[in-house]
Amino acid sequence: MKKIFILMMLFFFFGEMMSQTERYVYRTEVNPDTINLVDMKVETTFLDVKNNQSLFISESKLLRDSLVAVLKSQGNLDVKKSKKNKQEFPKLANGKSIQPTFFEYFIKKNYENRAINLVENIGSRQVYYQEDRKMNWDVSQQTSDFNGYKVQKATVNFGGRTWTAWFAPEIKISDGPYKLSGLPGLILKLEDDKGDYKFNFVKKISIPNTFTEDIKADARKSTRINFQGDKASVKMEMAKSKDSEIDLDNFNPGGGRGMHQRGGMNSGFGGQPGQGMNGGTPGNEVGNGQADIQMGNSQGNSGGNNASTINFGNSNPIELSNKY
């Protein structure tokens, strides 16, 4: 009953704050370790477009953060500890646990000024920076068909990887997964040259009410180069002030952190490929039926049941270089 009440609170607490969102759902594959032979890990990521802005975020982080916000609004943010003295996040209404994510941050893009901000939560605080590198795309005349759309090929060197994108000119949104953007159409398929990261568009859904993420007024503004140092500084400040929320960033099983650049990832990833929560990936599909996060609700198939957590360490960040 308590779990149902929490989900109902999600609806009423955020209902007035939100407007229609166009959500582009991607099946995302990550190679967690390029040295050891391991399976690609699969999760669902979202590109939410609303009011001339977009939000790139993983399904797991969006659900976890929405639940944190509701619990905080109730003054009931109490993290229980397991028998092994590890923090346990409250379970969903269907009894499943929130799965870990490789994307322990969110990215906000503003279409008017073309600003791209990467934001990471440190407990109740935020640290962010604005991307300062341009993406110089090489657009090919090669075309193909993907998921019902005619797509065109483009490549770019960014973050130490060469990315190949297939964008749909008929979708007039100059955006895509992660920071990748700037093409004359939405990126529907994206993969790096090493095959470590793959984003494949699955479907678009329109959501009248959905939880969103924003940059807080008191967020610490950093730079791309100083980002890791500023995160450490904020943690030190919170530890000195004995902030009770300093451990909120440990809600991700395995102590996951953002892996957008080398040194930024120390994450675990539990479960098997195809066990993403809330529209997991059985077979070759993501987000089957009505199993999409809207108001924090979790319906349909939720995977990762009794999955063990694997800690891959700092093995394969999405950005290998800060130079370009």
Side-chain angles (χ1 to χ4, degrees):
M1 188 69 181
K2 184 178 180 181
K3 295 171 184 174
I4 296 175
F5 176 73
I6 290 175
L7 292 177
M8 290 178 63
M9 284 296 296
L10 276 168
F11 181 83
F12 291 110
F13 183 75
F14 295 108
E16 295 182 358
M17 299 170 52
M18 307 168 193
S19 59
Q20 178 98 346
T21 295
E22 301 300 317
R23 171 166 293 169
Y24 297 87
V25 181
Y26 292 82
R27 182 181 192 269
T28 302
E29 299 178 65
V30 179
N31 177 10
D33 193 331
T34 57
I35 298 176
N36 300 302
L37 183 62
V38 296
D39 293 331
M40 296 286 281
K41 300 303 176 182
V42 181
E43 63 176 301
T44 301
T45 54
F46 297 145
L47 184 68
D48 284 0
V49 178
K50 179 177 65 175
N51 298 334
N52 218 22
Q53 294 184 337
S54 73
L55 167 71
F56 171 79
I57 193 168
S58 73
E59 180 184 49
S60 291
K61 178 170 173 57
L62 183 65
L63 181 56
R64 189 179 71 237
D65 289 357
S66 65
L67 186 53
V68 168
V70 170
L71 293 174
K72 287 178 67 174
S73 73
Q74 298 174 333
N76 190 31
L77 192 55
D78 181 23
V79 181
K80 297 180 181 179
K81 298 218 173 175
S82 66
K83 294 180 180 179
K84 295 182 180 180
N85 202 36
K86 292 183 179 181
Q87 291 178 319
E88 290 185 339
F89 196 76
K91 293 185 181 297
L92 302 172
N94 58 10
K96 306 295 185 181
S97 298
I98 297 176
Q99 294 301 293
T101 176
F102 275 96
F103 303 93
E104 268 300 330
Y105 48 85
F106 64 89
I107 295 172
K108 295 283 287 191
K109 301 184 189 119
N110 187 305
Y111 295 158
E112 291 183 351
N113 59 19
R114 299 184 180 180
I116 301 173
N117 290 295
L118 186 146
V119 188
E120 191 163 336
N121 296 326
I122 309 296
S124 59
R125 300 277 299 279
Q126 287 182 341
V127 183
Y128 76 100
Y129 69 86
Q130 184 170 315
E131 179 56 51
D132 56 353
R133 294 165 292 181
K134 291 184 178 180
M135 298 179 198
N136 298 312
W137 289 97
D138 182 10
V139 179
S140 167
Q141 295 303 310
Q142 184 177 349
T143 61
S144 183
D145 293 312
F146 179 76
N147 207 352
Y149 292 92
K150 182 177 180 180
V151 292
Q152 188 171 346
K153 184 179 179 181
T155 57
V156 67
N157 293 320
F158 183 79
R161 297 179 185 270
T162 299
W163 294 91
T164 298
W166 292 88
F167 66 96
E170 66 185 274
I171 305 178
K172 307 296 183 182
I173 299 175
S174 182
D175 206 343
Y178 190 58
K179 299 176 183 176
L180 282 293
S181 57
L183 287 168
L186 180 67
I187 297 173
L188 299 186
K189 185 178 177 67
L190 179 69
E191 181 176 353
D192 75 293
D193 56 329
K194 305 179 191 310
D196 291 339
Y197 287 85
K198 300 178 182 180
F199 300 87
N200 287 288
F201 169 75
V202 176
K203 64 180 178 179
K204 170 190 171 183
I205 54 177
S206 298
I207 307 174
N209 300 293
T210 183
F211 176 76
T212 190
E213 300 271 18
D214 288 303
I215 302 175
K216 298 179 181 178
D218 62 349
R220 171 77 63 88
K221 186 174 183 179
S222 181
T223 64
R224 181 169 51 85
I225 302 300
N226 297 328
F227 189 59
Q228 299 300 326
D230 283 335
K231 286 199 302 179
S233 175
V234 169
K235 288 183 179 181
M236 288 289 291
E237 292 172 7
M238 297 181 73
K240 287 181 180 179
S241 64
K242 297 181 179 180
D243 193 313
S244 61
E245 294 184 336
I246 186 61
D247 288 325
L248 283 183
D249 56 328
N250 289 328
F251 277 153
N252 189 31
R257 298 178 185 177
M259 52 185 295
H260 46 278
Q261 57 189 30
R262 186 169 296 281
M265 175 200 158
N266 183 20
S267 71
F269 199 100
Q272 301 298 320
Q275 288 186 325
M277 177 189 43
N278 219 5
T281 56
N284 295 318
E285 297 182 7
V286 173
N288 291 322
Q290 300 299 317
D292 301 291
I293 293 178
Q294 297 185 14
M295 299 299 299
N297 295 296
S298 177
Q299 301 175 353
N301 296 327
S302 294
N305 197 15
N306 297 324
S308 60
T309 298
I310 304 172
N311 192 339
F312 295 107
N314 181 24
S315 56
N316 194 15
I318 194 167
E319 289 188 27
L320 301 174
S321 172
N322 266 327
K323 295 181 180 179
Y324 56 90

